[in-house]
Amino acid sequence: MRRVRSPAAPQQKNIETGAVSPYGDAMTPRIAVILPCYNEEAAIAKTVGEFRAALPDAAIYVYDNNSSDGTMRVAAAAGAIVRSERMQGKGHVVRRMFADVDADIYVMADGDATYDTAAAPAMVERLLGEGLDMVVGARVHEAAEAYRRGHVLGNRMMTGVLAGLFGRSFTDIFSGYRVFSRRFVKSFPALSRGFETETEISVHALELRMPVGEIETRYFARLEGSHSKLSTYRDGLRIARTIATLYRVERPMLFFGWIAVALAAVSILLAFPLALTYWQTGLVPRLPTAVLSTGLMLLAFLSGFCGLILDTVVRGRREVRRLAYLAVPGPLAVRDEQR
């Protein structure tokens, strides 16, 4: 595996050995593996064991989300730190994990043993070596049963929509395998409730223009007895609604601007024959149409001004979020301070 090093960093050994800190000789970064789980009794022990082998110095946390099987018992027996979140939904679990766990580097994955844990050291090293705030494990699947066709198509469609709305994107916005810096985790508001949390994470990184990266990782089929909790259509609609909501919230000028343009266009189409008749006869025979056209144009102006005002508000909110993000030292800053 090729090692990625920062030119400013001192000589470093392999992260897997834990012999020398990626921050430099002065300190070892605290790595936390955080695993949201719901009914993963069949796979959680394997997941914890593989992460323990890949990142032997990391603290492994399993956050159970009201499982009805023995997920908590099996995870504890495997050596994980087990906690629970009673509010149902992955977004609630992510919010709780980000709030409770204190570390320098966060490795988030699912507890279903589908992600390649052997890629974790390379992802951590890239985050540290390049001073990134997030590294996404872009899934590459070889087995047909690993990734349903509907999910592949939905992922491509949503990724394209996100790129079109926000200018740039990732190749796999729904990947649950990510490595975060401390300043990302502690500045992320985490407002989602369910599987749309990955979309919210991606948009947060894009909006604040954080340095991010991707690494291709293998994606495996689930173990026997383990079942996916993702509903293709229900969760797909929730994710699409989340993207639309985030576009309205983060791009109000464009969102309300397009509405204003559509209303103005309809108003002009209705008014044109009325204006032509008035020019020829001096009369307005279709008064209701004239009133409708006037009302639509007024709504167009209102929509445009709403977008303009909200755009100013969003700019202020973005500045506050950026300052909260900058208040937490990043990987390079912490490493240089400790040298």
Side-chain angles (χ1 to χ4, degrees), residues 261-299:
V261 168
L263 291 171
V266 174
S267 176
I268 291 172
L269 287 175
L270 292 174
F272 182 76
L274 297 179
L276 187 62
T277 301
Y278 180 78
W279 180 264
Q280 294 172 346
T281 65
L283 300 174
V284 182
R286 290 175 288 176
L287 184 60
T289 303
V291 172
L292 176 61
S293 176
T294 303
L296 289 175
M297 187 58 72
L298 290 173
L299 289 175

Side-chain angles (χ1 to χ4, degrees), residues 37 71 83 85 110 113 137 139 144-145 220 232 293 310 317 324 327:
C37 286
T71 297
R83 295 175 180 172
E85 169 55 49
D110 295 333
R139 294 168 290 182
E145 62 271 19
F220 307 113
T232 302
S293 176
L310 290 174
R317 288 178 55 248

